[in-house]
Amino acid sequence: MKGLIFVELMNFMEEQFGELLTDEVVDAAAIPGDAAFTTIGQYPSAYASRLIGAAADRSNASAAELCRAFGRYLFCRFEVRFPTMIQRYPSARSLLMHVEAHIHEEVRIIYPDARPPTVTALEVDDALHVVYRSDRPFAHIAYGLVDQCIASYGEQSTVEWCEGNDDSHARFIIRSLHRSAA
Ligand code: HEM
């Protein structure tokens, strides 16, 4: 997985837990090179799972909750790192409809070694269904990314984690609170 995701994961940990606890997490996760990740590097995605697992063991949050919180943080970082890619979409819905065809496709062009997950969206009645598929187990990170995408556009919608979801294949159902109230 791209180093930039790991760099952001370490920043997130330091912000959440402080430097001391983060050092402890890195030791416990036994990451080679003391987790000195670079944005251009490539690292096994299992390192991220190990870091999140070790952090969960030392906090009140579960690994799933930490992944979701990291997903929210990561979307904010994507807004800083890739502003033009995000600002072209006028709404969360339009962004989410184009993750597969535009955003992750552009990521593959910028970083030929990138292997982003499949994130498709379809409109079903008044709801938007976003489906995540990956060979990595990061559906809860995807959940947080979707949450923050909606929050960043100032929209008020619920994001439902569907029963039967697993870590590598998940569906989120997004319903606008304004529409359902109308
Ligand atoms: C809000 C909708 C989005 C979702 C649900 C999503 C989901 C994810 C997830 C969960 C990953 C981790 C790798 C995996 O699970 O296989 C990932 C990787 C990535 N995403 Fe997205 N993403 C979204 C939007 C974006 C945006 C807006 C950008 C940038 C403008 C972006 C750029 C990337 C990059 C650079 C990677 C790393 C790929 C790699 O390691 O090879 N994503 N995405």
Side-chain angles (χ1 to χ4, degrees):
M1 193 160 69
K2 290 298 309 165
L4 82 88
I5 305 284
F6 286 91
V7 167
E8 295 304 353
L9 178 60
M10 295 310 293
N11 292 340
F12 166 77
M13 296 261 199
E14 280 172 16
E15 198 180 285
Q16 288 279 306
F17 303 117
E19 220 169 294
L20 277 181
L21 190 54
T22 301
D23 287 348
E24 213 183 282
V25 164
V26 169
D27 285 349
I31 305 298
D34 280 340
F37 301 116
T38 67
T39 52
I40 53 164
Q42 274 285 351
Y43 307 93
S45 59
Y47 288 2
S49 304
R50 266 160 43 198
L51 285 164
I52 291 163
D57 289 343
R58 285 160 185 76
S59 76
N60 295 327
S62 65
E65 285 164 342
L66 287 180
C67 279
R68 191 173 177 191
F70 172 56
R72 293 195 191 105
Y73 176 91
L74 188 59
F75 189 87
C76 295
R77 296 299 304 150
F78 283 161
E79 289 181 289
V80 174
R81 285 186 183 273
F82 306 102
T84 47
M85 251 200 251
I86 291 182
Q87 282 162 14
R88 69 171 78 127
Y89 300 104
S91 65
R93 182 173 284 243
S94 62
L95 186 150
L96 292 168
M97 294 287 286
H98 292 95
V99 176
E100 187 58 23
H102 293 170
I103 298 176
H104 278 172
E105 195 45 43
E106 215 165 313
V107 164
R108 287 187 193 94
I109 293 166
I110 304 172
Y111 307 108
D113 58 348
R115 218 161 32 80
T118 305
V119 177
T120 49
L122 66 154
E123 290 179 303
V124 181
D125 301 325
D126 272 355
L128 184 70
H129 290 215
V130 174
V131 177
Y132 163 85
R133 270 175 217 270
S134 178
D135 51 10
R136 301 167 182 140
F138 297 140
H140 286 89
I141 296 180
Y143 195 12
L145 281 161
V146 172
D147 275 347
Q148 186 58 45
C149 173
I150 289 163
S152 289
Y153 280 94
E155 294 174 16
Q156 296 207 321
S157 302
T158 56
V159 183
E160 183 191 338
W161 170 272
C162 291
E163 215 186 303
N165 278 354
D166 66 43
D167 287 341
S168 291
H169 184 192
R171 178 181 297 260
F172 311 106
I173 301 181
I174 298 153
R175 288 190 182 87
S176 163
L177 292 174
H178 295 307
R179 282 188 191 206
S180 55

